[in-house]
Amino acid sequence: MDNKSSRHHNPAGQNPKQEQLDQYRRQNTGKPMTTAQGRKISNDSETLKAGERGPSLHQDWHYFEKMTHFVQEEEPERTVHARGYSAHGEFEAYESMRHVTRACFLQEPGKKTPVTCRFSTVQGPRGSYDTARDLRCKGVKFYTEEGNYDLTTIDMPVLINQDPMKFPDVMHAYQAKPDDDIPTATGAHDYFWDYVANNPESIHMVEWIMSGRGIIRSYRMMESWSINTYLFVNEEGRATFVRFVWKPVLGVHPLLQDEAIKLGGIDPDYHRKDLREAINRGDYPEYELGVQLIPMEDEFKYDFDILDPAKFWPEELIPVHIVGKLTLNKNIDNYHTESEQVAFNPANVVPGIDFSNDPVLQGRLVAYHMAQVHRIGTNFQELPINKPVCPFHNNQRRGPMRYRIDVDEVNYHENSLANNTPYTTPPEQGGYAHYPKKVDGVVIRGRSESFNDFFSQPRIFWNSLSPVEKQHTIDAFSFQLGKVESESVRQQNVNLLVNVDKDLACTVADNIGVERPSGTHVPVSTSYPSLSLENTPKYAATLKVGVVIGDGFNGQEVTNTLNFLQNNHVYIEVISNKLGTVTGADGTQIKVNQTFMTASPYLYDTIYVVGGDMGNQAKFMQDVTDYVHNAYKHYKPIGVATTGQNFIQTSPNNNLAGVVFAANNPNFAEDYLAAIAQQRFWNRT
């Protein structure tokens, strides 16, 4: 990771988008309060009344402006991806890709393009919680010199539907029930699983959501794919099929189901806080952009349809070529204007990127613009966060919230009064021209037969998982389907699952109280290492240590350990009975950041057990013990100071895998850092 790090990058320099946004940023601190019309205000606490106990007066224009703005200040929520969070950054190309695309941001090695990035869940409303089991979206808006390019991806390489006609149906089934608007931010209810059972193409994506991919540890550790198949087009007009993937430098790491559920109540903003904290510390999240390329003549080479959004392109067959890196190096200043109002659309492309016949992609090209017009307004693209950094000119006029003051009188194309301007630009001079792909066939409502293998790839995904990942997936299916009230729906789902794996389906059937299904899985034995999280990169950097500590600790030992961890960019939070400081046996003082009441062991990737003495020793001992037991049962690494040894000891029932002791260990800090990087110790008993 270190040789790819942008930790010391200065986000303030040479970013044309940030320079543009600076024109709109305003500082209110230290300024007199005024109305929106600029009138200075003398009293902002009481309404205008006829006497101190009299009625309020209609002439109170200040109250009227303040209250009417308040009751109308929220725009319609996104129908999907409502809960999200954003950051700014830049994309740097590693090499020229001009041999396959004329896309301007991929033409020269070292070329930098400013971006805004928004992460989001899908099912829950804006007020739901971050760690719900769900698929997640990552929208990246590239502000290029040839216009905005929006690359929208999700954290799994397959979609739940193969035709856009079914998207409203699956979202109606997935979201909260219409009768009681329950549940929020979970698909664990009858309607969603009834949809899955009766639409077999959905089982592939559902299987991915039930795996660890469905409950990510952090947005900084989220891999994401374009799902849809696009076209690269080069200067010679030659096209290549392409799919995109963002690979996080820190690797891909999930939460356990129990952790995700608990964190939803303990800290609903867990992911957005994590993202913001990392950027504030200068540990900038980094993602490498990969492309998978298939020549046009190889469209039918594979045993799956490359235009099917419910199928992944195996990396082992179609290698991922890394072409650049995204670095998020600036937090947003205002959530509403920089995250809530950012508007993505897969139709926003630049010359060199075009669209395949992927049916879901074709449907998305229509839906997104309509959604943004409904949500934000006709002129949403003029908002600062959506505005391109290059000049833009057209004959569009008027509409609500029009910012531009167009001074030309002529607003139509093919004219003589304005010398036929604004004028069109030939493709050879940078004008966008669609790839002239051949299209023939009869008008029909239907889908290609090549889309109808619903189970081979889900079987491959299952074969590729490690035993631990398989168990977590079984647990997730059992939890979700266990919430379903209809026995018929539960039975239908295990009857569908048997096509993926017989043991999976039978185990889930036993867990949810239905009959084991007959039949067996499809006869596919293929597996791909790239699909298992066992093979993801692992680092200690930016993981969080909870230090449980009292007075009387070994000052030199503990401070040396904490300094070593912090120097390796591990985050430290010190937890004790109360805020203030704790004092070591040698007088060393350490500031306490959290108390056992305000923090939780679920918030930390590892626990450093220092122990010690406190005023209420029995309560302190119980709290520390709770932290140790929680970390141990979730397979997290545990560091034990010499003063903390009595909190964890070997017994016939445990092997203490991943527990590192400081006693008689001169390399304790290094060993503990290595254990933190490992993150989980699945062989622990």
Side-chain angles (χ1 to χ4, degrees):
M1 185 189 70
D2 291 340
N3 63 342
K4 298 175 181 176
S5 176
S6 297
R7 188 170 293 115
H8 304 296
H9 169 74
N10 180 4
Q14 302 299 313
N15 188 315
K17 185 59 184 179
Q18 294 306 311
E19 293 171 4
Q20 182 192 66
L21 290 176
D22 283 342
Q23 302 173 48
Y24 300 94
R25 293 185 171 113
R26 296 293 181 268
Q27 177 63 257
N28 296 295
T29 305
K31 305 295 194 310
M33 179 181 290
T34 72
T35 67
Q37 308 305 314
R39 285 176 287 195
K40 292 182 180 178
I41 294 168
S42 61
N43 184 320
D44 189 51
S45 300
E46 289 87 25
T47 55
L48 196 65
K49 307 176 185 71
E52 290 182 351
R53 298 177 59 80
S56 298
L57 303 180
H58 281 186
Q59 71 187 60
D60 192 350
W61 44 263
H62 176 205
Y63 168 76
F64 181 79
E65 178 190 277
K66 182 177 181 179
M67 183 56 71
T68 54
H69 186 280
F70 170 73
V71 299
Q72 299 177 77
E73 66 189 9
E74 294 303 327
E75 57 215 7
E77 189 174 271
R78 287 172 168 88
T79 305
V80 292
H81 303 293
R83 182 170 182 81
Y85 204 72
S86 298
H88 300 296
E90 65 181 16
F91 175 81
E92 181 175 357
Y94 284 163
E95 61 182 270
S96 173
M97 294 297 291
R98 65 173 66 247
H99 60 289
V100 289
T101 180
R102 57 183 293 200
C104 53
F105 65 98
L106 292 174
Q107 294 303 288
E108 301 294 339
K111 181 176 177 58
K112 294 181 179 179
T113 303
V115 305
T116 283
C117 177
R118 183 179 187 267
F119 300 91
S120 61
T121 56
V122 169
Q123 197 264 16
R126 198 171 71 190
S128 57
Y129 66 102
D130 284 351
T131 58
R133 184 180 290 278
D134 198 355
L135 67 127
R136 287 166 175 79
C137 178
K138 177 181 178 179
V140 179
K141 187 180 291 291
F142 294 75
Y143 302 99
T144 85
E145 65 267 28
E146 293 190 296
N148 290 351
Y149 168 50
D150 293 350
L151 176 55
T152 57
T153 59
I154 64 173
D155 68 337
M156 44 206 66
V158 293
L159 198 60
I160 200 166
N161 57 295
Q162 295 174 313
D163 192 286
M165 186 70 83
K166 299 183 73 169
F167 187 75
D169 299 303
V170 67
M171 291 315 304
H172 285 163
Y174 188 35
Q175 293 182 326
K177 297 186 297 179
D179 55 347
D180 55 15
D181 204 38
I182 298 171
T184 296
T186 175
H189 62 86
D190 289 49
Y191 298 164
F192 173 66
W193 287 99
D194 181 51
Y195 179 91
V196 173
N198 289 280
N199 293 270
E201 71 268 28
S202 66
I203 193 61
H204 194 186
M205 183 176 184
V206 168
E207 183 186 12
W208 281 75
I209 297 176
M210 294 303 109
S211 76
R213 304 267 186 176
I215 41 176
I216 60 170
R217 157 63 178 83
S218 166
Y219 288 138
R220 300 177 295 111
M221 302 167 187
M222 185 179 106
E223 190 172 16
S224 61
W225 291 262
S226 64
I227 300 171
N228 295 125
T229 303
Y230 294 82
L231 299 179
F232 268 165
V233 184
N234 66 9
E235 289 283 358
E236 290 73 44
R238 187 177 74 252
T240 305
F241 291 110
V242 60
R243 284 192 180 184
F244 301 90
V245 56
W246 290 110
K247 290 188 171 291
V249 171
L250 290 175
V252 185
H253 303 284
L255 296 166
L256 298 183
Q257 181 167 268
D258 175 62
E259 294 173 312
I261 293 170
K262 298 295 199 310
L263 283 168
I266 295 167
D267 189 355
D269 305 307
Y270 182 75
H271 285 152
R272 57 178 65 188
K273 284 182 180 178
D274 173 87
L275 179 68
R276 195 169 184 90
E277 180 181 48
I279 295 173
N280 280 338
R281 289 175 180 263
D283 290 314
Y284 301 135
E286 297 172 321
Y287 312 83
E288 292 189 302
L289 178 61
V291 295
Q292 292 176 282
L293 304 172
I294 296 178
M296 298 294 284
E297 59 269 22
D298 289 345
E299 179 176 358
F300 303 105
K301 175 181 176 180
Y302 303 95
D303 60 2
F304 55 90
D305 195 315
I306 68 169
L307 300 183
D308 184 353
K311 306 293 191 300
F312 59 79
W313 291 8
E315 294 185 15
E316 286 77 2
L317 301 181
I318 308 159
V320 173
H321 184 69
I322 301 298
V323 299
K325 182 174 66 177
L326 167 66
T327 303
L328 299 179
N329 53 27
K330 186 183 188 308
N331 276 312
I332 56 175
D333 294 308
N334 185 289
Y335 171 80
H336 183 79
T337 54
E338 296 176 87
S339 187
E340 189 61 22
Q341 290 191 331
V342 67
F344 295 95
N345 184 351
N348 291 342
V349 294
V350 292
I353 300 176
D354 209 324
F355 313 113
S356 76
N357 292 336
D358 178 330
V360 168
L361 175 59
Q362 292 290 324
R364 294 177 69 210
L365 299 179
V366 175
Y368 280 65
H369 185 89
M370 293 188 298
Q372 307 299 1
V373 169
H374 166 71
R375 200 173 63 84
I376 311 176
T378 303
N379 290 304
F380 72 90
Q381 295 176 101
E382 289 189 46
L383 292 172
I385 195 63
N386 299 318
K387 187 177 179 180
V389 295
C390 64
F392 58 101
H393 309 282
N394 52 52
N395 290 313
Q396 296 172 10
R397 301 289 190 270
R398 301 186 179 182
M401 304 302 290
R402 180 74 170 178
Y403 280 43
R404 288 168 62 99
I405 302 175
D406 297 282
V407 297
D408 339 62
E409 296 179 4
V410 176
N411 61 352
Y412 51 89
H413 190 54
E414 303 295 356
N415 65 72
S416 62
L417 295 177
N419 198 26
N420 205 26
T421 59
Y423 54 83
T424 58
T425 304
E428 58 271 17
Q429 296 179 25
Y432 190 93
H434 288 277
Y435 176 70
K437 59 191 176 191
K438 182 180 179 181
V439 178
D440 59 30
V442 296
V443 176
I444 183 174
R445 288 191 187 273
R447 73 179 70 180
S448 171
E449 281 293 323
S450 58
F451 279 35
N452 290 339
D453 179 3
F454 301 134
F455 305 116
S456 292
Q457 281 206 345
R459 175 66 181 167
I460 291 171
F461 181 63
W462 178 258
N463 293 342
S464 303
L465 298 180
S466 69
V468 170
E469 291 175 288
K470 287 181 177 180
Q471 184 58 54
H472 292 165
T473 305
I474 290 171
D475 293 344
F477 272 113
S478 301
F479 174 85
Q480 294 268 318
L481 286 168
K483 295 283 189 178
V484 172
E485 296 180 4
S486 168
E487 182 177 345
S488 171
V489 170
R490 298 199 304 270
Q491 187 69 60
Q492 290 176 66
N493 273 276
V494 297
N495 292 347
L496 181 65
L497 272 179
V498 76
N499 296 284
V500 177
D501 185 76
K502 175 90 171 178
D503 291 339
L504 164 67
C506 290
T507 304
V508 172
D510 292 344
N511 290 343
I512 64 174
V514 297
E515 296 295 323
R516 288 190 167 199
S518 59
T520 190
H521 46 255
V522 292
V524 176
S525 59
T526 306
S527 64
Y528 296 120
S530 63
L531 300 180
S532 173
L533 298 183
E534 282 278 294
N535 304 312
T536 195
K538 296 181 176 69
Y539 301 102
T542 76
L543 297 182
K544 185 174 287 188
V545 177
V547 183
V548 287
I549 191 171
D551 295 324
F553 57 88
N554 184 320
Q556 183 175 1
E557 174 194 301
V558 173
T559 55
N560 285 347
T561 299
L562 296 183
N563 289 338
F564 180 82
L565 295 177
Q566 288 176 316
N567 288 339
N568 283 276
H569 298 275
V570 175
Y571 299 166
I572 303 294
E573 281 196 354
V574 180
I575 309 155
S576 195
N577 279 1
K578 58 185 179 181
L579 296 177
T581 59
V582 287
T583 305
D586 59 354
T588 298
Q589 290 194 326
I590 295 177
K591 182 180 178 180
V592 176
N593 310 107
Q594 298 283 352
T595 68
F596 293 114
M597 182 178 293
T598 61
S600 165
Y602 287 96
L603 296 170
Y604 304 101
D605 300 290
T606 175
I607 300 300
Y608 178 29
V609 186
V610 178
D613 303 313
M614 294 300 288
N616 188 342
Q617 189 64 16
K619 179 68 166 59
F620 176 75
M621 297 280 287
Q622 181 59 53
D623 287 333
V624 175
T625 300
D626 288 344
Y627 269 69
V628 172
H629 286 173
N630 184 281
Y632 198 85
K633 75 175 183 178
H634 290 112
Y635 308 96
K636 297 177 181 179
I638 299 173
V640 184
T642 53
T643 51
Q645 288 187 191
N646 58 321
F647 288 98
I648 186 164
Q649 298 175 0
T650 305
S651 77
N653 299 320
N654 64 45
N655 60 9
L656 300 188
V659 179
V660 184
F661 291 91
N664 303 314
N665 184 0
N667 298 317
F668 168 70
E670 292 85 350
D671 293 345
Y672 185 33
L673 182 72
I676 295 172
Q678 184 64 29
Q679 301 193 31
R680 306 278 186 177
F681 290 84
W682 303 120
N683 62 331
R684 178 178 291 168
T685 59

